[in-house]
Amino acid sequence: MTFQFAERMSRLGTESAFEVLAHARRLEAEGRSIIHLEIGEPDFATPQNIIDAAVRALNDGATHYTPASGIPQVREATAQYVTKHTGVPTTMENIVLTPGSKNILLFALLMLVEEGDEVIVPDPGYPIYRSLVEFIGAKAVSLPVRQENAFRIDPAELRSLVTDRTRLLIVNSPGNPTGGVLTREDCEQIAEIAQQRDLVVLSDEIYNRLVYDGAHTSLYSIDGMAERTIYLDGLSKAWAMCGWRLGIGAMPVELAKRMDTLMINSSSCAAAFTQWAAVEAFDSPESDAAVDTMVHEFHRRRDILVDALKRIPGIECHQPEGAFYVFPDITATGWEDRDLANALLDEVGVAVLRGSSFGPHGAGHIRLSYANSVENLMLATDRIATFLGAAVSQS
Ligand SMILES: Cc1ncc(COP(=O)(O)O)c(C=O)c1O
């Protein structure tokens, strides 16, 4: 049978991390040694106390549907967690729990953006933003995130991109793929523009616990922003819980109610035992200690990786302040980012992502994730240096 796909399917993008991972796994199956620096997933195990809490919940019968936006006690605990980390008084009515935070993004677009509207997305940025914006028939407008500006967006440039068709602004700090972190001043200027131009903002702060220099400023916490912001967080990154699937949205009650209806029509609810595990993640000294240990280790790895990359001729590496990615400029090597990423995987078994897969402004860069051991990071940078050295001497 020949299937006729809906036109919108041709507009749906993907995440190159999943494609590169699949290719890397095929090479591994052929016996090749691959170092995985493509994955956006912490390499730590979920803290044991969180696993224990989930097992207890399962044994206590957390095996049923829950209310669509989440179990009331868990939404309450989430509201307290959001209040503690952002300073914004948040109640359970503001909270929607979803199976992974990608749903918060999809639902925000479905409920607020019409076909033909414009959504401003960071470029380079998390590829799912552009993919979903285009999927729903809207126009993704690139907001450049430049290395010379420490991978922070420029408020003046943002201002120039807002039009009468702009319905939503997506901001992501700490940022994927660059690790850039917005300052308080940046957030204040972005907030001023959002308020002057009456924009709804989706503030993706999923990496908010992973900041190594200075502190994270929540755009949601800037005066006047809570009433126009969908705050996005989740369990995946801070507690190494990608496979548990829990996304967190905090938003004005009117939006939360609509998102509840979207949950009823799609996933029904997030997994009950995962929700109970979240309470343990948010509110226990063991969980806080585990996050601190992971942050400390990521910080150490970042310093080692950036240092090693800076020593490779042709690579210019800005030291990112947050998340667990570096996004070096590789233009001086003479390679296109796509060709270099392919060659590093095929020739020397180092899986990285091409910068252009995060948007046109990512061209000339590659993304390396340091969610891998220091030994592997050192081995990977040795392999990259040897590969580039050999390629230069051949040319
Ligand atoms: C910036 C950003 N936002 C959201 C997500 C989605 O995370 P999850 O669906 O696991 O909550 C990711 C995952 O890589 C991300 O990098």
Side-chain angles (χ1 to χ4, degrees):
M1 143 126 217
T2 313
F3 293 104
Q4 179 146 13
F5 288 101
E7 192 270 329
R8 71 178 75 86
M9 285 307 289
S10 66
R11 289 183 260 121
L12 196 56
T14 185
E15 239 184 292
S16 60
F18 285 91
E19 289 174 348
V20 174
L21 177 62
H23 182 45
R25 293 258 186 262
R26 279 195 298 277
L27 294 176
E28 273 174 326
E30 290 165 12
R32 297 274 309 278
S33 142
I34 305 292
I35 304 172
H36 291 277
L37 305 187
E38 78 279 40
I39 313 175
E41 169 161 17
D43 55 321
F44 303 102
T46 299
Q48 190 58 44
N49 61 306
I50 300 178
I51 295 176
D52 292 344
V55 171
R56 270 197 310 277
L58 281 168
N59 283 322
D60 290 346
T63 54
H64 299 275
Y65 286 131
T66 78
S69 295
I71 300 163
Q73 297 96 306
V74 182
R75 285 173 80 200
E76 186 54 52
T78 309
Q80 282 172 21
Y81 174 78
V82 172
T83 304
K84 180 173 159 199
H85 280 274
T86 64
V88 179
T90 306
T91 70
M92 67 168 263
E93 280 76 31
N94 300 115
I95 300 292
V96 181
L97 302 173
T98 56
S101 63
K102 274 176 181 162
N103 286 299
I104 302 287
L105 183 63
L106 174 63
F107 295 161
L109 292 167
L110 286 174
M111 65 185 182
L112 294 171
V113 180
E114 299 278 7
E115 279 187 30
D117 283 343
E118 293 175 3
V119 178
I120 298 181
V121 298
D123 177 0
Y126 182 46
I128 300 303
Y129 302 145
R130 178 177 297 271
S131 167
L132 289 180
V133 168
E134 290 176 353
F135 183 61
I136 62 155
K139 183 175 165 208
V141 175
S142 282
L143 173 56
V145 179
R146 301 179 201 280
Q147 175 163 315
E148 57 267 31
N149 194 27
F151 292 125
R152 289 155 40 214
I153 54 181
D154 174 359
E157 205 161 9
L158 165 62
R159 192 183 288 280
S160 72
L161 294 172
V162 179
T163 73
D164 293 342
R165 294 301 313 250
T166 310
R167 293 301 308 275
L168 187 70
L169 163 66
I170 300 181
V171 178
N172 173 217
S173 174
N176 176 8
T178 63
V181 173
L182 296 175
T183 62
R184 171 158 292 276
E185 202 186 353
D186 294 333
C187 289
E188 284 168 356
Q189 290 182 34
I190 295 165
E192 191 183 302
I193 296 165
Q195 290 173 33
Q196 279 170 355
R197 301 302 305 260
D198 203 20
L199 301 179
V200 180
V201 176
L202 185 132
S203 185
D204 181 345
E205 303 185 25
I206 196 161
Y207 295 99
N208 64 51
R209 302 289 293 271
L210 308 180
V211 176
Y212 314 112
D213 311 303
H216 168 71
T217 305
S218 173
L219 185 53
Y220 181 61
S221 74
I222 304 292
D223 262 3
M225 288 307 284
E227 68 201 49
R228 60 176 66 251
T229 301
I230 298 174
Y231 170 83
L232 180 153
D233 196 356
L235 295 189
S236 293
K237 313 292 174 177
W239 296 273
M241 294 177 72
C242 289
W244 295 69
R245 311 308 300 134
L246 196 84
I248 298 166
M251 65 203 81
V253 177
E254 202 188 336
L255 298 185
K257 283 186 184 150
R258 297 298 178 105
M259 227 183 243
D260 185 88
T261 314
L262 284 162
M263 275 297 288
I264 291 171
N265 280 274
S266 52
S267 313
S268 295
C269 62
F273 65 92
T274 295
Q275 293 187 48
W276 287 115
V279 178
E280 180 72 17
F282 297 149
D283 196 18
S284 89
E286 292 99 310
S287 304
D288 285 345
V291 174
D292 288 348
T293 305
M294 288 189 260
V295 171
H296 187 263
E297 178 59 15
F298 277 137
H299 190 163
R300 186 174 85 96
R301 293 176 188 179
R302 179 204 63 173
D303 292 353
I304 292 171
L305 179 60
V306 170
D307 197 48
L309 285 168
K310 277 184 171 162
R311 279 191 262 114
I312 301 176
I315 292 192
E316 197 200 324
C317 190
H318 170 79
Q319 175 153 295
E321 285 105 350
F324 41 69
Y325 309 110
V326 292
F327 199 63
D329 183 336
I330 51 92
T331 38
T333 64
W335 285 80
E336 298 283 330
D337 57 304
R338 175 193 286 270
D339 297 341
L340 183 60
N342 288 342
L344 289 176
L345 180 53
D346 291 332
E347 306 294 329
V348 290
V350 179
V352 300
L353 301 183
R354 63 187 165 90
S356 49
S357 67
F358 296 92
H361 286 273
H365 292 256
I366 54 174
R367 189 192 82 171
L368 298 83
S369 155
Y370 46 93
N372 207 325
S373 65
V374 167
E375 294 68 39
N376 279 336
L377 295 176
M378 295 314 295
L379 192 57
T381 44
D382 281 351
R383 288 185 188 183
I384 296 172
T386 310
F387 173 78
L388 285 174
V392 168
S393 62
Q394 271 166 25
S395 61

